Amino acid sequence: MKFSKFSIFEKDYPDINHLAVYNTLTKAVAIIEKNLYESVINNNFENINENHISSLLEQGIVVENDDDETSKLNIYFSKIKSEYPSYSTMILTSYDCNLKCKYCFENNIKSINKNMSAEVTEQTINWLKNEVNQYNPKHFSIIFSGGEPLLNKESIKNISTKMKEYCISKSIQYSFGILTNGTINIDESELNDFYTMGLRIIQFTIDGAREIHDARRILQGGSYDKIINNIKFVDSRINIQTIVRINVDNENINQIDGLLDELKKLNIKNLTIDVAPRIASSCDIYNCNSHVLTDNVLADEIIKINEKITNIGLRHSRRFTSSTPCLGIALRQFVIDPLGDLYKCAGFAGMKDFKVGSIFETKLNKKYTDIVGLDNWHNCKNCEYVPLCGGGCMYINHLEFNNYRKTKCQKTLFNKIVMKSLISTLNKEKIKKQLEASK
Amino acid sequence: MLIVEEAKDCVNVTEPSFCGCFISPLFAPTTGD
């Protein structure tokens, strides 16, 4: 018996006699005694509870000495690529945005300034129905993004009403989420309609306390207060998951606390805070990419902010920890843009060189084959983090090397952040009590 | 020893969580309340 190569550890958790272990392939989390850990490392199982070993085997944390973990990894990626119990797609209802953020990764396409037309909306519905028929998922979900998706509420309403109706007729669950800048008002009747249509998640972006947020996410008269009011309004009317995303770079990294304190006061029912790297832009017209943090610094800063989030009694996301590889790998996950063009990554939306097809055509193009056939994870089969990163981010590769095929390894970031991010979402005191009770 | 979270089927998810960069990963349940 040995530890899986995908098992990673946090020593002295929750106390000096134990370790936390997380398996990045199976996503199982366990707390084990130090002597059990040493027994597995030393391959000496005298005086070890057999039930404990069989539990760890069952969870994939421990494997038999002759287990072929590469085959397990192959199966994992094969499932991600081609099985669809849950079919997800991302729809950009508009390339337009009312904010003028200098760092926006879409600054090169905002000039397209176009909402999805009624014709494209109808064809999107037809195209999605065809996907449902072909792949017959148990659950079908859409993420609406943009630009600012709420600048085109009609497309959201139309697509959701019809897709929900269609999914129900096939006994398929339907839900959707919206990634919004949070400045567009939704009135009570619209909000109720959205909820009835399947809205279950809204992500708002706030880049720190009022002053720094308003300096970065630019709207005449400021956007911070509008967003806070809209979060409060949504929370008071419907019961959904609210995510506040904070894009961090070296311009705002020390000005986040005021926002966290404000969010704490708001007492939102189902709030998750996602501290995320501010993504570089491939069209950096305002020279903002210089503010992007290195992976090393980013990891330290996210850990620090997440600790503060936990300490004040709020929840943070498990960014980098609970991720599965992105839609770029899966055969039938797409980003549909306002023109009806298909992409394999939101970062590439609007960049015609990365278009992989269109909802108006049945055939996908050569770029599609190039991207889904890439499978960079093959080059990283012995890395403990490959089940999380999938062999790297195509968009980051593109920014770094002007070559989406060449991997920019982010192991430094994953090494620092994965266990820390996991640990700070666990309830340490409860775990201690459970360990005590199990003695 | 304590199993805090069980092994999961990577594709057996009921919520969109497919993109680590642009979409925030959803909060996973914890041992908390």
Side-chain angles (χ1 to χ4, degrees), chain A residues 24-186:
Chain A
T24 59
L25 187 69
T26 67
K27 315 288 189 268
V29 181
I31 307 296
I32 58 174
E33 290 78 16
K34 242 182 187 168
N35 65 337
L36 175 56
Y37 171 77
E38 281 159 10
S39 297
V40 178
I41 292 288
N42 298 322
N43 203 25
N44 175 4
F45 296 96
E46 277 174 42
N47 305 321
I48 291 299
N49 185 330
E50 273 182 31
N51 291 339
H52 288 177
I53 290 293
S54 50
S55 265
L56 293 177
L57 267 171
E58 200 178 311
Q59 300 301 324
I61 289 170
V62 161
V63 295
E64 303 282 2
N65 286 332
D66 60 353
D67 256 11
D68 181 357
E69 291 206 89
T70 302
S71 295
K72 289 182 187 170
L73 190 69
N74 289 342
I75 292 168
Y76 172 87
F77 279 109
S78 159
K79 283 175 126 183
I80 287 172
K81 193 176 259 311
S82 53
E83 290 187 16
Y84 300 97
S86 177
Y87 184 109
S88 302
T89 197
M90 188 178 200
I91 299 176
L92 314 182
T93 57
S94 178
Y95 271 140
D96 195 8
C97 185
N98 58 324
L99 295 192
K100 305 294 168 223
C101 312
K102 288 183 177 173
Y103 66 71
C104 182
F105 71 93
E106 289 181 339
N107 271 331
N108 52 334
I109 53 172
K110 272 191 195 156
S111 55
I112 299 174
N113 195 17
K114 195 170 171 73
N115 280 359
M116 185 177 268
S117 66
E119 186 201 1
V120 175
T121 301
E122 279 310 309
Q123 182 56 23
T124 298
I125 295 163
N126 294 335
W127 190 87
L128 291 174
K129 283 181 179 175
N130 191 44
E131 290 289 288
V132 168
N133 284 336
Q134 265 192 283
Y135 299 99
N136 195 29
K138 288 182 184 148
H139 183 265
F140 183 89
S141 62
I142 297 173
I143 290 284
F144 291 103
S145 184
E148 170 47 51
L150 291 173
L151 288 177
N152 181 6
K153 291 174 186 166
E154 278 315 301
S155 287
I156 297 177
K157 288 177 192 170
N158 213 341
I159 292 168
S160 270
T161 305
K162 290 182 179 158
M163 286 314 297
K164 184 175 180 185
E165 194 180 285
Y166 193 69
C167 286
I168 286 173
S169 76
K170 304 237 163 212
S171 302
I172 295 168
Q173 291 177 311
Y174 174 80
S175 67
F176 73 94
I178 299 176
L179 313 185
T180 175
N181 64 35
T183 61
I184 309 291
N185 294 337
I186 310 174

Side-chain angles (χ1 to χ4, degrees), chain A residues 224-247:
Chain A
Y224 182 90
D225 291 329
K226 269 179 185 274
I227 302 168
I228 294 289
N229 285 334
N230 282 330
I231 291 176
K232 279 197 288 195
F233 177 72
V234 169
D235 180 62
S236 67
R237 297 298 191 278
I238 55 174
N239 190 15
I240 58 163
Q241 181 153 20
T242 302
I243 297 172
V244 169
R245 177 182 173 122
I246 309 173
N247 294 316

Side-chain angles (χ1 to χ4, degrees), chain A residues 31 33 59 203 274 319 425, chain B residues 1-2 4 7 18 20 24 30:
Chain A
I31 307 296
E33 290 78 16
Q59 300 301 324
Q203 175 183 298
D274 180 40
R319 173 164 284 276
T425 57
Chain B
M1 194 197 72
L2 188 67
V4 180
F18 51 63
S24 304
T30 73

